[in-house]
Amino acid sequence: MDALKLDLSHYRQLLKQYIDTQDESALYEAEQISKRSIQHNISLEEIINTHINALEGIYPDLPENIQHSMSFLLEVMISYGLALQEFQDLRESQLEIKSEISVAARMQNTLLSTVKPEVEGFDIGVVSVPANQMNGDYHHFIHHTDGTVGITVADVIGKGIPAALCMSMIKYAMESFPSEHKNPSEILESLNRVVERNVDPSMFITMFYALFNPAASTISYSSAGHEPGFYYHAADDTFEEIRAKGVVLGVTDTAQYRQYEREIHVGDMIILLTDGVTECRQGDRFIESEEVLEVIKSFSHLPAQELVESVYRHFEKLQDFHLRDDFTLIIIKKDV
Amino acid sequence: MNLTVDVQEQENKAIVLLAGEIDAYTAPKLKETLLSLTEKQGNKVEVNLEQVNYMDSTGLGVFVSGLKSTKENNSELKLVQLQDRVYRLFEITGLIDVIDVDKTVQGGY
């Protein structure tokens, strides 16, 4: 402990000034002493001792009964002193935990990092922002050698550190699948078994998996209970919910996932997201998904990356810059 | 917002009345109550969500734990009278196919 001695003569001088004049400035200075004492880990007992010494300095003939009362006060304050010490210890260990979490968060970012693929004829934008330090949302791109791109968007139910650890497991499970094994339905069925066997019963994962074939302009996909994305039809300027049936990963070991396929036309957009986007709130009011689509539409003239970032900023502002849930939005535009 | 959990227990049967919001803050309390009921062998547990106006995915986690516990303890779990927004969560996540969810009518056994 770097306990600095309280400056007795300064204290005595201040105390005298206050007793003589009841001057506000002395009180202000007393407050400063109090703050500095906490900063320098000066114990409560020492402050009271200093007060007694200062008092005896100012009044050499201090009545004995006042002196006794001070010893009494000192005794009464002992438990407070101990509590303060405990508080300081806790504060230090909390700082340690905080810095460990930020190390873990950085490690998570490295482990789960993914590179947005460059695909000719398409424009892809991605934004993923955690509500707290660690992100329970996950997205990943795999650029296969045959030119197809695997796209994963997932949300771990259960937030914070356990969710993040779970996501790392998922990522490595996916990477261990053989490379010819890339059909969305197969991937989800395999992952479901991994999650079912290895994860706590109250934890499960929603996932949307798509295999995007830029050369053929098609996308095939399956969903494990994930928040549905949207498809924008440029031809008639409408949005359609991308519905795909399937239960979340990790609930039953026999789950089967249907696979769907669609063609992507010029000017169309594929919008993938997590419930942090659709469950935005303005005060107590929930944002309807029509509103999300209107916002997307209002920025749809922008390049995909600017588009997703503008949508994010819009909802961040709407929620007073305090996200309740992790927010992930991916938009794929087929160039005109 | 808060969640009130009101349990009416009868022989081999329990009705849980919920009111408020189910989220990360209120879920632990609900989970504790729910599991204490589904862990009783053969118990029939009905959860009424009529007064639940918000539930996030943490709430789903609670009911999934409840479901897993019914399988281990030969008990039953049924959710009744869900509001649209809450029902939609069970629908999207595919959980309506694995959990007994009755949207409108208050079901009895």
Side-chain angles (χ1 to χ4, degrees):
Chain A
M1 201 158 63
D2 60 336
L4 234 81
K5 277 280 179 204
L6 207 56
D7 185 345
L8 176 62
S9 66
H10 178 59
Y11 190 97
R12 187 170 51 212
Q13 191 194 330
L14 267 178
L15 182 62
K16 185 161 183 350
Q17 185 192 341
Y18 185 70
I19 291 171
D20 292 345
T21 65
Q22 277 101 65
D23 182 8
E24 285 279 332
S25 70
L27 279 186
Y28 172 76
E29 196 47 44
E31 196 188 323
Q32 299 305 310
I33 288 179
S34 160
K35 282 183 185 157
R36 276 203 301 277
S37 301
I38 289 174
Q39 269 171 20
H40 294 291
N41 279 337
I42 290 173
S43 69
L44 206 58
E45 291 90 329
E46 196 186 331
I47 294 185
I48 295 173
N49 262 325
T50 306
H51 186 83
I52 296 171
N53 287 334
L55 211 55
E56 285 169 351
I58 303 167
Y59 305 107
D61 307 321
L62 193 67
E64 211 169 298
N65 51 4
I66 301 285
Q67 286 182 31
H68 291 322
S69 86
M70 285 298 175
S71 309
F72 190 83
L73 177 64
L74 195 57
E75 209 53 41
V76 170
M77 298 315 283
I78 280 179
S79 290
Y80 282 92
L82 291 175
L84 179 67
Q85 186 56 47
E86 205 173 307
F87 164 77
Q88 278 164 342
D89 291 347
L90 280 176
R91 196 163 59 175
E92 269 169 38
S93 66
Q94 199 207 11
L95 278 176
E96 266 170 44
I97 292 170
K98 231 179 165 174
S99 82
E100 272 179 38
I101 293 176
S102 69
V103 170
R106 278 205 301 278
M107 201 157 139
Q108 186 203 17
N109 283 337
T110 315
L111 283 174
L112 301 183
S113 68
T114 186
V115 179
K116 188 175 76 176
E118 293 296 328
V119 180
E120 190 155 343
F122 291 87
D123 183 16
I124 303 176
V126 184
V127 64
S128 183
V129 184
N132 297 310
Q133 271 200 44
M134 297 188 90
N135 200 340
D137 280 2
Y138 170 73
H139 71 277
H140 193 70
F141 297 100
I142 309 170
H143 212 150
H144 297 292
T145 44
D146 63 359
T148 58
V149 179
I151 305 171
T152 314
V153 187
D155 185 359
V156 187
I157 307 316
K159 292 186 173 47
I161 298 170
L165 291 174
C166 181
M167 226 51 262
S168 303
M169 180 189 86
I170 291 295
K171 181 182 171 182
Y172 287 98
M174 285 175 87
E175 285 187 349
S176 70
F177 294 151
S179 60
E180 68 275 10
H181 180 102
K182 56 192 175 207
N183 270 332
S185 61
E186 282 177 277
I187 287 190
L188 292 185
E189 278 156 27
S190 307
L191 272 181
N192 177 56
R193 287 189 291 270
V194 173
V195 177
E196 214 273 330
R197 262 182 255 135
N198 296 294
V199 178
D200 178 82
S202 65
M203 211 148 124
F204 55 82
I205 297 164
T206 76
M207 182 181 284
F208 184 91
Y209 190 91
L211 185 66
F212 169 45
N213 185 340
S217 268
T218 57
I219 188 162
S220 52
Y221 54 90
S222 295
S223 172
H226 194 76
E227 184 70 24
F230 296 93
Y231 190 92
Y232 172 73
H233 297 274
D236 51 5
D237 191 27
T238 54
F239 287 95
E240 176 199 344
E241 199 173 64
I242 303 178
R243 282 267 175 176
K245 223 172 128 54
V247 70
V248 294
L249 302 176
V251 175
T252 65
D253 56 359
T254 53
Q256 302 248 313
Y257 297 94
R258 246 184 88 179
Q259 187 169 314
Y260 305 77
E261 184 167 327
R262 60 170 77 210
E263 264 180 63
I264 312 167
H265 302 286
V266 169
D268 287 0
M269 289 193 284
I270 295 162
I271 298 150
L272 306 177
L273 36 74
T274 56
D275 60 2
V277 180
T278 43
E279 292 272 303
C280 275
R281 282 200 205 193
Q282 186 178 28
D284 271 346
R285 187 183 73 90
F286 288 99
I287 306 301
E288 297 299 327
S289 54
E290 289 76 31
E291 221 170 310
V292 176
L293 296 178
E294 268 168 39
V295 174
I296 290 174
K297 203 166 166 178
S298 71
F299 293 117
S300 62
H301 57 282
L302 296 170
Q305 189 58 35
E306 282 176 48
L307 165 54
V308 293
E309 284 169 13
S310 305
V311 173
Y312 169 68
R313 279 197 297 271
H314 174 92
F315 286 111
E316 189 193 29
K317 200 172 150 199
L318 206 67
Q319 300 185 97
D320 292 328
F321 302 94
H322 176 78
L323 291 186
R324 283 176 69 104
D325 199 357
D326 307 327
F327 184 110
T328 299
L329 177 65
I330 298 180
I331 294 185
I332 303 166
K333 288 169 95 173
K334 183 167 163 79
D335 290 340
V336 180
Chain B
M1 258 312 261
N2 229 322
L3 178 73
T4 57
V5 182
D6 186 20
V7 182
Q8 297 167 357
E9 272 195 273
Q10 297 155 17
E11 201 178 338
N12 298 328
K13 188 179 171 179
I15 293 177
V16 183
L17 294 168
L18 302 179
E21 297 191 354
I22 309 175
D23 59 16
Y25 300 100
T26 59
K29 176 175 146 192
L30 173 61
K31 185 174 174 183
E32 196 185 323
T33 310
L34 188 67
L35 292 188
S36 74
L37 296 171
T38 53
E39 276 162 8
K40 284 184 193 154
Q41 282 289 328
N43 205 13
K44 292 180 175 174
V45 184
E46 182 180 295
V47 184
N48 187 311
L49 290 104
E50 192 184 2
Q51 304 295 324
V52 174
N53 48 27
Y54 174 78
M55 181 170 96
D56 70 6
S57 42
T58 332
L60 290 175
V62 172
F63 292 117
V64 169
S65 313
L67 177 76
K68 290 190 176 176
S69 150
T70 59
K71 287 180 182 162
E72 285 158 18
N73 298 287
N74 198 28
S75 54
E76 292 173 28
L77 174 66
K78 182 172 186 171
L79 311 182
V80 299
Q81 291 195 293
L82 289 76
Q83 292 189 15
D84 287 347
R85 185 173 275 278
V86 175
Y87 184 78
R88 180 178 174 271
L89 265 181
F90 284 94
E91 207 174 24
I92 284 173
T93 51
L95 289 171
I96 39 170
D97 296 332
V98 285
I99 300 181
D100 190 355
V101 179
D102 193 341
K103 187 181 178 184
T104 46
V105 199
Q106 178 152 22
Y109 286 97

